[in-house]
Every structure is written in C-alpha cells, then in structure tokens.
Amino acid sequence: MGAMPSPRHDALVKMFEHRPELAVEILRDLMGVELPDTPLVRLENTTFNTRRSDDIHADMVLVLGPSQDPAHAIIVEIQQDKSKAPRQLARYAAVLWLMLGCDVTVLVICPDRATAAYYAQPIESGLTGYRLQALVLGPDSIPALTDPQEAAGHLGLAAMSIMVHGRDRKVVEAFAAALTDTDDDHALKYTEYAYSMAAPEVRRLMEEIMTSTDWPVYTPFAREHFGRGREQGKAEGKAEGKAEGEARAVLLVLAARGLDVPEDVRARITACTDLAQLETWTTRAATAQALEELFDEAGGQQG
C-alpha cells in the first residue's frame, strides 16, 4: 500500500484543479513550450486504461481544444521524491496519446532539487525509438515573486513561490499584499494552498505578516473553518448542538487540508460529546500531517 499523499502534494494538485490554465501558463510562458492557441481547457479523467486490464492514475490530466477534436493533452504529476519509476511517465503519455489521438506533454512539479534533476533526464520507455522528455518545474525554475502586482496576477505561481522561497520575507509580504486585491473566497483558496505547501517556519512567518496587515484570514484553517464550526455550534444553544458544531469544525479542517477521513474515524469524531476534546482535535487538525496525529495520546487524552 502506497504512502498517504502529503498536504503539500494535495495542495498542489488542488491548485491545478482549481485553475487548470495554470499548467498551460507554466508551460507556455515560463518554459517556452509551443501549445495550441485555444481558450478551451478542460480537466480530463485522471484514471485511464492500458487497454489490457489495469488502470493507471495520474495526478491531473487536462485537454486543450474541443472534446470531439482535442488539440493537446497535459499530464501534471507532483513528485516530491524518486519513488515513481520515470518509465511510468512515458507509459502515461503513450496511453493518453492512444486514447485521445493528440500530442501529450508531461509536466512534473518537483519542490525538491534532486528530485527535479532525476525526472529531467530523458526517459527510455523500453520501446525502440520512443524516448520521453518530461518537462520539470523544479525549485530553480520557480521565480521568487517579490512584486505584489506580479504576485496578484499569478497567484498560483505566487503560492509555489511561498513553497520554495518563503524564507525570504519579501516573498511572503508580496503574497499577502496580493491577496488584498482579490476577493476573499478566491484569496482563501490560495492562502490554504500556500500554507499547506510551506515549511513550518514559513507558516509562522505567514501568520506573523498576515496578522500585521488588513487581511482577515491569517491562519486559513483555524480562522475560517474552526471559527465557522464553533459559531455554528454556539448558535444551536445546547451542549449537544455545540458538540455537533465542534465535530463539524474538525471535519471541515481535515477536508480543507485534503486529508481523507475513513468512515470509522468520521463516526468517532461525530459521536464525541466532549467539547474540550473536540476543540483539541480541531487545533491539531490544522497542522497534522496524518490522521494518527489527531488522536496522539502524547498530545492529550483520547475521546
């Protein structure tokens, strides 16, 4: 069984899903790839078949052009280590080419420099004459955006700039300033993406800078989701209602973090009536890297 995807991996995938045009802009504007000039960009099913018996699953697939006559396909893969065999990427491209009948580009996002170099090498597929050259966006290719206007115009890149260059205070300041020029709902998404992708010390810097500005959501999970759940619980006016609101807050935070909650864990959370325990779980949910940390006895008693 494979390892559970990290919050950083999930945030990157969600950011591209939220705005698929980001992949086109990275390839065309940042990496100089010639792509069909079309406003039609759509997400495709990420699971496709080798026409034998096994399905293969990419992080994201998007298609340029009309569905009946696709002009180009892009496979986006998020790789934080060298665990995936490069030949698998060649296989993805070949199968998608067979299915859609159009050219395919593989874009690999690698926050780690060594991983980026690994996937940047030409990939021998094992089929004579077929060698795939994946296009890799590594930390050296992600610009440090310190201009608020530039960050506001490229919020996806600005969030990735936080991931790679967030220790530079000017990068975080530019990101925070850019968010004030965007409507709250839109900005909240990118705040969550950046926060999930950032290292712990960068998260602390984000909170410090965002609390000193007019931007109201400086810790996206604690402020938006935790607060919403608490207020809903209080409005119900009864202990049972408060517990239900707190339980919902826990689940909202976990959902915002991209953590998959099995039914048995969901049942345990919703069945808990201990408000103090639920508040503890909500606080832990904002930073937990895995569900096990939510119930860690070292951090407090279990419910």
Side-chain angles (χ1 to χ4, degrees):
M1 186 174 178
M4 183 178 180
S6 70
R8 172 182 284 182
H9 175 280
D10 288 347
L12 282 164
V13 171
K14 286 181 180 179
M15 187 168 68
F16 279 93
E17 288 177 344
H18 169 66
R19 190 170 177 276
E21 294 83 359
L22 176 60
V24 178
E25 292 168 0
I26 287 173
L27 288 169
R28 181 184 289 152
D29 302 335
L30 199 61
M31 308 181 83
V33 178
E34 291 188 11
L35 293 173
D37 187 11
T38 173
L40 301 176
V41 180
R42 71 179 190 280
L43 289 172
E44 185 62 72
N45 193 330
T46 58
T47 300
F48 38 97
N49 197 276
T50 61
R51 299 182 185 270
R52 295 187 300 182
S53 61
D54 52 333
D55 290 335
I56 53 182
H57 187 86
D59 282 331
M60 195 186 81
V61 176
L62 61 97
V63 180
L64 284 66
S67 57
Q68 65 274 17
D69 186 24
H72 200 97
I74 301 172
I75 297 172
V76 180
E77 275 292 305
I78 312 300
Q79 283 302 124
Q80 301 187 88
D81 54 36
K82 304 173 185 177
S83 59
K84 177 166 289 187
R87 182 176 289 187
Q88 184 75 342
L89 301 180
R91 189 177 179 220
Y92 286 177
V95 174
L96 199 57
W97 171 74
L98 283 171
M99 290 178 59
L100 300 178
C102 65
D103 196 9
V104 178
T105 296
V106 178
L107 173 62
V108 188
I109 311 296
C110 298
D112 174 73
R113 187 172 284 105
T115 303
Y118 178 69
Y119 288 103
Q121 299 301 313
I123 300 170
E124 296 292 348
S125 67
L127 176 64
T128 302
Y130 174 39
R131 171 190 286 185
L132 175 72
Q133 180 64 69
L135 297 178
V136 178
L137 186 70
D140 294 333
S141 305
I142 297 173
L145 299 185
T146 57
D147 181 345
Q149 286 189 327
E150 187 177 5
H154 303 88
L155 282 175
L157 270 181
M160 286 191 281
S161 186
I162 291 281
M163 173 181 71
V164 176
H165 307 290
R167 292 174 179 82
D168 182 343
R169 188 180 185 90
K170 291 182 179 179
V171 170
V172 181
E173 288 175 341
F175 182 71
L179 295 177
T180 63
D181 296 328
T182 311
D183 65 273
D184 288 359
D185 289 341
H186 193 58
L188 176 61
K189 286 182 179 294
Y190 285 99
T191 308
E192 291 180 350
Y193 298 149
Y195 193 85
S196 295
M197 293 187 285
E201 62 270 27
V202 178
R203 291 182 179 184
R204 290 191 290 271
L205 182 58
M206 287 179 67
E207 294 185 4
E208 174 196 332
I209 290 174
M210 289 184 172
T211 52
S212 65
T213 68
D214 293 332
W215 176 241
V217 184
Y218 65 92
T219 304
F221 316 115
R223 266 294 180 89
E224 174 68 9
H225 300 293
F226 174 56
R228 185 187 299 168
R230 283 180 62 90
E231 289 305 314
Q232 179 177 343
K234 289 177 181 178
E236 292 174 352
K238 295 181 180 179
E240 182 178 348
K242 290 181 180 180
E244 182 181 342
E246 291 291 351
R248 181 171 296 187
V250 178
L251 296 173
L252 279 170
V253 174
L254 293 173
R257 298 288 313 286
L259 295 173
D260 183 42
V261 183
E263 283 303 317
D264 60 331
V265 175
R266 182 179 297 272
R268 177 178 179 180
I269 292 171
T270 56
C272 183
T273 57
D274 184 337
L275 287 175
Q277 179 64 80
L278 286 165
E279 289 178 357
T280 298
W281 286 346
T282 307
T283 302
R284 291 180 188 171
T287 58
Q289 300 300 306
L291 283 177
E292 292 78 7
E293 296 180 27
L294 197 69
F295 308 112
D296 183 5
E297 291 191 29
Q301 67 178 21
Q302 291 186 317

